Amino acid sequence: MLIEVGHFALVLALIISVLLIVVPSIGLYQNKTSLAQLARPLVWAQGFWIALAFFVLMSAFLSNDFSVKYVADNSNTQLPLLYKASAVWGSHEGSLLLWVFVLSLWTVAVSIFSKRIPSDLINQTLVVLGAISFGFLLFLLFTSNPFERLMMPPLEGRELNPLLQDFGLAVHPPMLYMGYVGLAIPFAFVLSALIRGQLDSTWIRWTRPWALVSWSFLTVGITLGSWWAYYELGWGGYWFWDPVENVALMPWLAATAFMHSLFASSKSNILKTWTLFLGILIFALSLFGAFIVRSGIIDSVHSFANDPQRGLYLLGFSGFITLISLGIFAYRLPDMQSSKLIVTGSKESFLSMNNILMLTAIFSIFLGVTYPLILEFINGDKVSIGPPYYNAIFAPLILMTSIFIMISLEALWQRGMQARTLLIAVTPTFAISSLILYFIWYFVQVFSLLSYIGIYSGLLIIISYLLKGAISLKNKTYINKGSFVAHLGLGLLFFAVSMNSILSYQKNINLFLGEQQFIN
């Protein structure tokens, strides 16, 4: 009976999502405040029923209810309690329910912690989030129902995939989804501002905290996934350039560019067109990732299913949302034209160049993921695009990004700097980084161009921020601590990964029975 309650809760949540789209929209466009204000209660009601469905499914796992097909396929009585709980999202249906549950948590959070936001903007944002919920609830109920019953329940379940029987499953997917799904919030703010034509700085001020929090969750989620894959699968690297890993990296890159544009827009009321476009792109890439993972269109240890019906739905849903959003963006484009021009040599100019580099990186990854699929569709040939392609493309992009980060640290808002002043400011960083790079080469005596580009890129960022921090500490001047820690971490990542590539080696050994080999 409890399982039917969970199923019915999802049906009610779907009905409420329809009401969330229709009723407040009527209130917004007919200036009926009483109807528009129903957005918040409807969000809370939807969140309650989705939470109920999620915990009913978890209860089925914890109680070994093998009358539920999804439980029977992914659990058994001998499974430890932690793995039973995390098995809820161990396969397609449950992970999709987790997706919907996390989206409802974000939506409820927006409705509670956004009371200072203008009512029209927040109500429109909740309507957009309701439309996204509707699409995923429809997908969940009609193609991926986790509450499907078995006519003859087995006495024992099949067990969770052994690779997933790990603490990583308990922490990586929820953290990743908090970031991945959380990107719907800044997207909803951007789309709401475009729909209502409210293109002033109001929406920027309210979007920044949500973008920062979702980006932070996504960063932690990707890091946990890399750590888990490293020790569980033994891939021998921090990033394997697996297609599913790549579709998580693309929205992270877009979100990073989006946050920089948000910051620039709030500082100097410039780069608004960039900000709005990136706000759409982050969620479009998130949806593209959901399509890649859940359609079974690629072979990966991360992919969930091989079901053309699911893939077709997700492709249509993703395409519909992206095209509608870009259509509204194009319609409002004339209203976004600013009389302010980006000053050459200003901080905004370097942020713009880094945005271009990040979009180039995103396009390169997108091409690497989709080109084999397109080629196979056209003539049936299977090709594999792996680390050599990505490393060769990313090495120069990382170097240019590091140089722009270093220079932008010295640049000013809306004011250009003379080339001589800028050169004097960055010369110590170039000199120290070059000297350290020489000593690394001298002691290691291993040469790899791409690795040394990565090492040098990391050093440029690390040294520039350490020098800036020391000067700020000495002169007791302000430095953005969040920016300091984030960029220093990025520099350390470039440096450590590149050092690992030249200091590690791989050796294949064939051993016969009774034979020994000693590894130095």
Side-chain angles (χ1 to χ4, degrees):
M1 181 64 185
L2 189 61
I3 300 303
E4 281 66 37
V5 171
H7 187 196
F8 185 64
L10 287 180
V11 174
L12 283 177
L14 179 67
I15 295 170
I16 292 170
S17 69
V18 175
L19 295 175
L20 179 57
I21 297 168
V22 175
V23 176
S25 295
I26 294 173
L28 286 168
Y29 292 99
Q30 293 185 359
N31 292 320
K32 295 182 178 179
T33 306
S34 58
L35 292 179
Q37 294 299 334
L38 288 175
R40 278 192 171 91
L42 287 170
V43 162
W44 299 336
Q46 183 194 60
F48 170 79
W49 292 113
I50 292 174
L52 178 62
F54 180 80
F55 287 111
V56 164
L57 184 62
M58 181 166 286
S59 172
F61 271 91
L62 297 178
S63 62
N64 298 313
D65 188 351
F66 299 129
S67 68
V68 181
K69 183 178 183 301
Y70 182 68
V71 177
D73 288 343
N74 295 282
S75 183
N76 61 34
T77 56
Q78 303 303 312
L79 206 62
L81 191 63
L82 175 65
Y83 297 162
K84 283 183 182 180
S86 54
V88 172
W89 50 82
S91 192
H92 169 73
E93 290 83 356
S95 68
L96 189 60
L97 179 57
L98 176 65
W99 178 293
V100 173
F101 176 56
V102 170
L103 180 59
S104 71
L105 291 178
W106 276 111
T107 309
V108 170
V110 170
S111 69
I112 293 173
F113 298 109
S114 301
K115 293 181 179 178
R116 295 182 181 179
I117 300 178
S119 59
D120 285 356
L121 178 61
I122 188 59
N123 289 331
Q124 183 67 65
T125 301
L126 295 177
V127 168
V128 172
L129 291 170
I132 297 171
S133 298
F134 170 78
F136 277 101
L137 283 166
L138 200 66
F139 179 49
L140 184 65
L141 281 167
F142 287 95
T143 71
S144 314
N145 187 359
F147 295 108
E148 182 181 344
R149 289 277 200 178
L150 290 173
M151 293 294 293
M152 299 185 64
L155 296 176
E156 186 60 274
R158 290 183 182 177
E159 191 180 36
L160 182 66
N161 185 334
L163 286 176
L164 300 179
Q165 294 182 31
D166 188 89
F167 176 73
L169 181 64
V171 293
H172 165 56
M175 196 66 65
L176 186 71
Y177 279 21
M178 284 297 292
Y180 217 58
V181 181
L183 296 177
I185 307 304
F187 165 78
F189 274 106
V190 165
L191 192 58
S192 300
L194 287 169
I195 290 171
R196 302 197 62 76
Q198 296 174 341
L199 303 178
D200 54 13
S201 299
T202 304
W203 66 273
I204 294 174
R205 185 168 66 255
W206 300 115
T207 306
R208 278 183 61 188
W210 300 102
L212 178 60
V213 172
S214 58
W215 176 87
S216 300
F217 274 117
L218 185 57
T219 303
V220 174
I222 290 175
T223 305
L224 286 171
S226 299
W227 162 74
W228 183 18
Y230 181 71
Y231 83 80
E232 177 71 21
L233 299 175
W235 278 345
Y238 300 97
W239 198 260
F240 191 64
W241 294 112
D242 178 85
V244 175
E245 289 181 340
N246 293 341
V247 296
L249 180 61
M250 286 191 288
W252 184 87
L253 289 170
T256 304
F258 176 67
M259 286 197 306
H260 284 83
S261 292
L262 273 175
F263 189 69
S265 298
S266 63
K267 277 282 184 181
S268 57
N269 200 27
I270 208 167
L271 297 182
K272 279 187 179 178
T273 305
W274 262 112
T275 308
L276 289 161
F277 172 73
L278 289 168
I280 294 171
L281 183 64
I282 54 175
F283 192 61
L285 290 172
S286 178
L287 291 174
F288 174 73
F291 163 70
I292 289 292
V293 174
R294 299 176 185 282
S295 64
I297 199 170
I298 60 166
D299 295 323
S300 167
V301 70
H302 300 89
S303 58
F304 281 109
N306 187 7
D307 189 335
Q309 183 184 5
R310 292 171 178 171
L312 188 62
Y313 179 95
L314 279 171
L315 184 63
F317 180 60
S318 306
F320 176 77
I321 288 184
T322 303
L323 289 175
I324 289 293
S325 304
L326 289 176
I328 298 171
F329 173 79
Y331 176 75
R332 296 292 186 188
L333 195 58
D335 301 331
M336 302 177 207
Q337 303 305 319
S338 174
S339 58
K340 290 186 177 181
L341 297 176
I342 297 176
V343 178
T344 303
S346 65
K347 197 179 285 287
E348 293 91 338
S349 67
F350 293 111
L351 285 174
S352 297
M353 285 186 272
N354 264 340
N355 280 350
I356 292 170
L357 290 175
M358 286 188 187
L359 284 181
T360 304
I362 291 168
F363 177 76
S364 301
I365 297 172
F366 185 84
L367 187 64
V369 171
T370 58
Y371 179 74
L373 304 176
I374 295 170
L375 189 64
E376 184 179 359
F377 176 77
I378 293 174
N379 57 20
D381 292 341
K382 289 191 175 184
V383 298
S384 177
I385 294 180
Y389 163 81
Y390 294 107
N391 292 339
I393 286 179
F394 266 73
L397 290 177
I398 285 171
L399 179 59
M400 287 187 286
T401 299
S402 300
I403 292 172
F404 289 145
I405 289 173
M406 176 189 63
I407 296 174
S408 66
L409 189 59
E410 305 295 337
L412 303 172
W413 292 107
Q414 289 186 294
R415 287 192 301 175
M417 290 183 69
Q418 291 183 354
R420 182 173 177 274
T421 305
L422 198 57
L423 186 62
I424 292 172
V426 300
T427 295
T429 299
F430 275 120
I432 296 171
S433 299
S434 300
L435 189 62
I436 294 174
L437 185 68
Y438 170 76
F439 279 113
I440 290 172
W441 171 82
Y442 181 80
F443 286 106
V444 174
Q445 289 295 309
V446 175
F447 183 75
S448 169
L449 178 61
L450 298 182
S451 297
Y452 279 103
I453 289 174
I455 292 170
Y456 192 61
S457 301
L459 287 171
L460 289 177
I461 299 175
I462 294 168
I463 300 302
S464 61
Y465 270 86
L466 288 179
L467 289 176
K468 187 70 173 180
I471 292 170
S472 298
L473 194 62
K474 178 184 176 182
N475 299 334
K476 296 182 179 180
T477 55
Y478 171 78
I479 186 170
N480 188 317
K481 295 181 180 62
S483 174
F484 181 86
V485 172
H487 288 98
L488 198 61
L490 182 66
L492 286 170
L493 176 67
F494 291 163
F495 179 80
V497 171
S498 302
M499 284 295 293
N500 176 77
S501 68
I502 62 172
L503 293 176
S504 62
Y505 69 94
Q506 183 176 338
K507 187 174 182 180
N508 296 322
I509 299 172
N510 294 321
L511 292 177
F512 296 98
L513 186 63
E515 188 177 358
Q516 293 182 351
Q517 285 278 357
F518 294 94
I519 307 297
N520 295 326

